[in-house]
Amino acid sequence: MIGPDGQARRWGEHARSLARDRLLLFGTAWTLIAGILFFLLFPDTDSLVRVFWLFQPPLDLILAVCSWRVHRLATGPIRRFWLVMAGVGTLFTLGDSYQAALTLAHPERSSTTGGSIQTACFSIGLLAVVVAMLVYPHPNRTGRERLAFWLDSATLLVGGAVVAWCFAGSSDNPDILGTLVVAGVSICGTFASVKMMLSGNAPMHKLAAFPMLASAIAMSVGVFLGRFAHTELGPLVYFVRFLPSLLIAAGPRVQEILAHLEPAPFGDRRRKPYSLLPYGSMAMAFGALIVILPYGVDGRLWGVVAGLGLICALVAARQLVAFHDNTALIGRLREHETRLRHQAQFDGLTGLANRTHFHERVADALAAGRPVSVLLIDLDGFKAVNDTMGHAAGDALLVAVGDKLRATVRDEDLPARLGGDEFAVLLPAGETRAELTAERILAAFRTPVDIAGLAVPVNASIGVAGATPTDDVESLLHHADVAMYAAKGSGKGIWKTHVPALA
């Protein structure tokens, strides 16, 4: 496991590798040149649009080529995803190249909004990305977890649609188609962010995902800047609208570089158990509502209100799923706690109380001041069974002894296995009943145990000790131990009660 210092050092090495990459440096320089030309050529709109479209295809080509290279390095669903990205880059290259040629041939039709062919290529590419995300698998997920993921994703999609409707739905917006297309890019970028943050198995490293997500944000900012530019677009708006081409092309190139540097170059990591993105979508919709309220009641207002209501319903459904998840988790934790408590207090082989639990119960009984007796039981000849028949037979014999003890003692008595072939019984009674219980146990042991088709006798020596007012746990068990060894010394297979003379 890599510590914080090692991870920081590794990220520093990645940053240096990315900063020295010639293709990324070319894309950055190419974008800066376009930005400089935007400022130098302003306000010549025809020249600005020509630069805008002529500088697009090389960046689209980087997207296509690098995605294809990553596709060749990956396997499984990740490989299929990057193959789709390579196809998307190819579509963007063809559409933008056609639009650049069209702009040169017909300057009077110049606009940052593409024509029908460019828009078709762009829309098909976006649709392909969405489909690739939809079909990308979610391993090791329950049905409820998948439902929660789609509710979160739907919330963000509705939020993006609300913002798109707010800024593109007015009758005085001459660029409705372009605005909606760009809003679609923002929605896709948002969906990609959900995929990266929630799925835990995103098809790209987060360093590669950041520029691609930033491209959606930059594209949205470009749309809004253009929306509030009442006259001609300024050079800053052109540059902001051009910047996403660099960012979306940088993602695959970063992923290609990381594929040669990282042992796990894609998005395999622990997924977060929660997401704040749906609440961000709700805040975004409320912001859109505040923006359009001064314009009065119209179709945009009703669309935003409807979208906000749908977002609230989706968030409520998500909370209901989370409530069921939490309830199920609490139930599993309680079951686990019960299982751990049982493992801590009971013997795993016989199911009887273990030494720790037995000592605790003896201490509680002594503290209560009521009559207490203890039987200490040691099997005779158990080692011979282990040596001649194997440990499995020995374990079967121990289990049979535990069953006989449970069947012989009363409900208020506590049988226990202290370890090995040593057993004990706690009785909330005096020595007289303890001696009768010892006699019943020996009588039950006289019936042989069937192990692998053989009748195996059970022999034991039992020490009986009744508690005195001065006894504690250790002294009481010591007295029972002394009585048990006295029984063994007297011929085994019998019980003896502790008396001072045995010491």
Side-chain angles (χ1 to χ4, degrees):
M1 184 175 181
I2 300 176
D5 294 339
Q7 186 174 11
R9 185 166 55 252
R10 187 181 65 186
W11 279 58
E13 294 173 355
H14 293 350
R16 287 189 292 271
S17 299
L18 296 175
R20 294 192 300 264
D21 182 66
R22 294 182 179 180
L23 201 54
L24 291 177
L25 290 174
F26 166 77
T28 303
W30 187 258
T31 303
L32 290 176
I33 293 173
I36 293 172
L37 291 176
F38 289 147
F39 281 91
L40 292 177
L41 297 175
F42 183 79
D44 185 355
T45 303
D46 292 343
S47 298
L48 291 174
V49 174
R50 289 192 189 98
V51 171
F52 182 86
W53 288 113
L54 287 172
F55 274 68
Q56 296 271 4
L59 298 178
D60 296 334
L61 192 60
I62 293 176
L63 169 64
V65 172
C66 293
S67 297
W68 174 258
R69 290 176 179 174
V70 176
H71 147 264
R72 299 188 65 181
L73 295 173
T75 58
I78 298 176
R79 181 182 178 91
R80 291 192 294 271
F81 174 83
W82 283 104
L83 179 61
V84 172
M85 288 299 298
V88 170
T90 303
L91 281 174
F92 287 178
T93 304
L94 294 175
D96 290 346
S97 298
Y98 177 83
Q99 188 63 33
L102 187 64
T103 302
L104 289 175
H106 303 281
E108 70 280 1
R109 294 164 59 181
S110 298
S111 172
T112 56
T113 302
S116 57
I117 293 181
Q118 192 275 339
T119 301
C121 292
F122 197 66
S123 302
I124 294 173
L126 288 180
L127 180 61
V129 172
V130 172
V131 171
M133 291 176 179
L134 288 174
V135 301
Y136 195 77
H138 302 272
N140 304 321
R141 283 199 170 183
T142 64
R144 187 175 288 127
E145 288 174 333
R146 287 193 294 270
L147 175 61
F149 173 81
W150 289 117
L151 287 173
D152 289 342
S153 302
T155 303
L156 289 170
L157 290 172
V158 173
V162 167
V163 173
W165 177 260
C166 176
F167 287 94
S170 61
S171 58
D172 60 343
N173 183 6
D175 198 13
I176 293 179
L177 179 60
T179 305
L180 288 175
V181 169
V182 173
V185 176
S186 302
I187 294 173
C188 292
T190 304
F191 194 86
S193 69
V194 177
K195 200 74 174 176
M196 183 186 71
M197 296 178 184
L198 301 182
S199 68
N201 68 319
M204 65 187 72
H205 194 279
K206 53 186 175 183
L207 287 179
F210 285 153
M212 300 182 75
L213 298 178
S215 69
I217 297 175
M219 197 169 294
S220 301
V221 173
V223 171
F224 299 150
L225 288 177
R227 172 78 175 115
F228 293 111
H230 298 290
T231 57
E232 57 197 6
L233 300 181
L236 179 61
V237 177
Y238 278 95
F239 181 75
V240 173
R241 288 189 172 185
F242 182 82
L243 186 60
S245 298
L246 170 66
L247 295 173
I248 197 171
R253 179 57 181 169
V254 172
Q255 183 64 66
E256 181 186 0
I257 296 172
L258 293 177
H260 297 287
L261 300 176
E262 281 274 356
F266 298 99
D268 188 13
R269 57 190 175 273
R270 182 179 64 87
R271 64 175 180 263
K272 292 184 178 180
Y274 62 91
S275 173
L276 299 178
L277 292 176
Y279 302 101
S281 179
M282 183 180 291
M284 185 169 57
F286 270 112
L289 180 62
I290 293 173
V291 169
I292 66 169
L293 274 177
Y295 295 95
V297 179
D298 57 8
R300 286 192 304 162
L301 177 62
W302 286 114
V304 173
V305 170
L308 186 58
L310 181 57
I311 290 175
C312 292
L314 290 170
V315 171
R318 178 65 177 89
Q319 292 303 314
L320 183 61
V321 173
F323 173 77
H324 284 291
D325 287 341
N326 292 337
T327 302
L329 177 61
I330 291 173
R332 290 195 297 270
L333 289 176
R334 287 176 177 170
E335 292 176 0
H336 186 60
E337 180 185 4
T338 302
R339 186 165 55 252
L340 289 178
R341 186 183 297 114
H342 186 274
Q343 291 174 354
Q345 295 180 342
F346 293 89
D347 175 55
L349 179 64
T350 63
L352 301 178
N354 60 17
R355 180 183 292 272
T356 301
H357 186 42
F358 184 77
H359 281 214
E360 291 174 352
R361 290 288 298 273
V362 172
D364 293 341
L366 291 174
R370 294 190 295 269
V372 177
S373 298
V374 167
L375 306 182
L376 198 61
I377 307 165
D378 189 81
L379 301 184
D380 300 326
F382 176 75
K383 185 176 183 300
V385 175
N386 253 349
D387 292 344
T388 59
M389 302 182 64
H391 291 288
D395 289 346
L397 180 60
L398 294 175
V399 171
V401 169
D403 293 339
K404 287 178 178 291
L405 286 178
R406 268 190 295 266
T408 303
V409 301
R410 300 182 182 184
D411 292 339
E412 61 269 23
D413 301 334
L414 178 68
R417 181 191 176 203
L418 304 184
D421 60 342
E422 188 178 34
F423 294 81
V425 179
L426 169 65
L427 301 95
E431 288 183 351
T432 301
R433 187 161 79 79
E435 291 169 350
L436 293 175
T437 302
E439 188 62 45
R440 289 201 309 273
I441 290 173
L442 291 177
F445 282 1
R446 293 187 187 101
T447 303
V449 176
D450 185 1
I451 300 177
L454 297 177
V456 179
V458 182
N459 300 310
S461 299
I462 302 178
V464 181
T468 64
T470 59
D471 272 332
D472 58 13
V473 176
E474 297 300 328
S475 62
L476 179 59
L477 291 177
H478 175 67
H479 293 162
D481 190 57
V482 170
M484 184 268 294
Y485 276 103
K488 280 185 176 293
S490 299
K492 301 181 181 180
I494 61 174
W495 59 267
K496 277 192 175 294
T497 301
H498 177 266
V499 294
L502 291 178

